């Protein structure tokens, strides 16, 4: 129906906790998308709701996850990106996620899940690129540096 209304509409599957290639849910979603593609079910992209914290850090196989989905013939997008923390650790993780996307040709976007920390649904975790006064955090600089290097 979406394609009838707009033949150029991008049909995307967007989900959470699908970032780690070794997790069962990631494998299940991968197999679902693979099945869709094999049967001609229209799907253009997969979105990864990337909400990271100390209990769920950016996995070291994140690039692998993105690339494996892209290899199925779909675009990948990082959606709802926020990373709990502050300082150099948070900056390193934001930079790493950005680098992972840049390394995958079919990674077509990164959406950060808000602007200043205090408007985040996870405000106490200070998970965004700007503090409550809209000052750039080290994470902002890490993203900018990754984009400029890419």
């Amino acid at each position: 129906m979406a394609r009838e209304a707009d033949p150029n509409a991008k049909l995307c599957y967007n989900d959470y906790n699908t970032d780690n290639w070794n997790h069962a849910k990631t494998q299940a979603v991968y197999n679902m998308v693979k099945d869709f593609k094999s049967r001609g079910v229209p799907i253009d992209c997969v979105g990864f709701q990337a909400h990271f914290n100390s209990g769920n850090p950016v996995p070291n196989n994140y690039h692998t996850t993105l690339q494996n989905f892209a290899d199925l013939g779909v675009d990948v997008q990082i959606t709802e990106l926020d990373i709990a923390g502050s300082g150099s650790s948070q900056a390193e993780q934001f930079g790493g996620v950005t680098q992972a996307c840049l390394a995958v040709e079919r990674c077509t976007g990164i959406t950060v899940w808000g602007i200043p920390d205090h408007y985040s649904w996870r405000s106490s975790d200070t998970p965004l690129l700007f503090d409550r006064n809209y000052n750039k955090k080290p994470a902002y600089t890490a993203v900018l540096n990754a984009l400029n290097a890419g």
Side-chain angles (χ1 to χ4, degrees):
M1 295 173 93
R3 286 271 161 85
E4 287 177 19
D6 180 357
N8 297 315
K10 294 287 185 183
L11 304 177
C12 301
Y13 177 83
N14 190 44
D15 207 344
Y16 65 97
N17 287 342
T18 56
D19 306 295
N20 189 322
W21 180 247
N22 298 323
H23 286 177
K25 182 175 180 182
T26 306
Q27 292 298 307
V29 172
Y30 175 84
N31 288 327
M32 178 188 73
V33 173
K34 185 177 179 180
D35 174 63
F36 285 177
K37 294 296 284 183
S38 73
R39 293 186 299 122
V41 175
I43 183 167
D44 300 307
C45 61
V46 175
F48 298 85
Q49 295 177 22
H51 303 292
F52 299 115
N53 57 48
S54 61
N56 180 41
V58 177
N60 59 7
N61 60 15
Y62 195 58
H63 171 262
T64 299
T65 303
L66 297 176
Q67 186 63 60
N68 286 342
F69 276 90
D71 288 346
L72 292 176
V74 295
D75 291 339
V76 293
Q77 299 175 355
I78 300 166
T79 63
E80 302 184 24
L81 177 61
D82 54 20
I83 302 173
S86 62
S88 62
S89 174
Q90 183 186 47
E92 183 179 313
Q93 291 182 70
F94 263 104
V97 168
T98 305
Q99 289 170 346
C101 180
L102 290 170
V104 175
E105 186 175 333
R106 293 196 73 146
C107 188
T108 59
I110 301 172
T111 303
V112 178
W113 203 232
I115 309 261
D117 285 330
H118 69 286
Y119 287 132
S120 169
W121 66 290
R122 300 169 58 195
S123 61
S124 63
D125 292 333
T126 62
L128 301 174
L129 301 175
F130 295 86
D131 68 17
R132 71 172 12 267
N133 296 314
Y134 293 88
N135 295 308
K136 298 172 191 172
K137 294 167 44 178
Y140 172 90
T141 303
V143 169
L144 183 62
N145 289 343
L147 291 171
N148 285 330

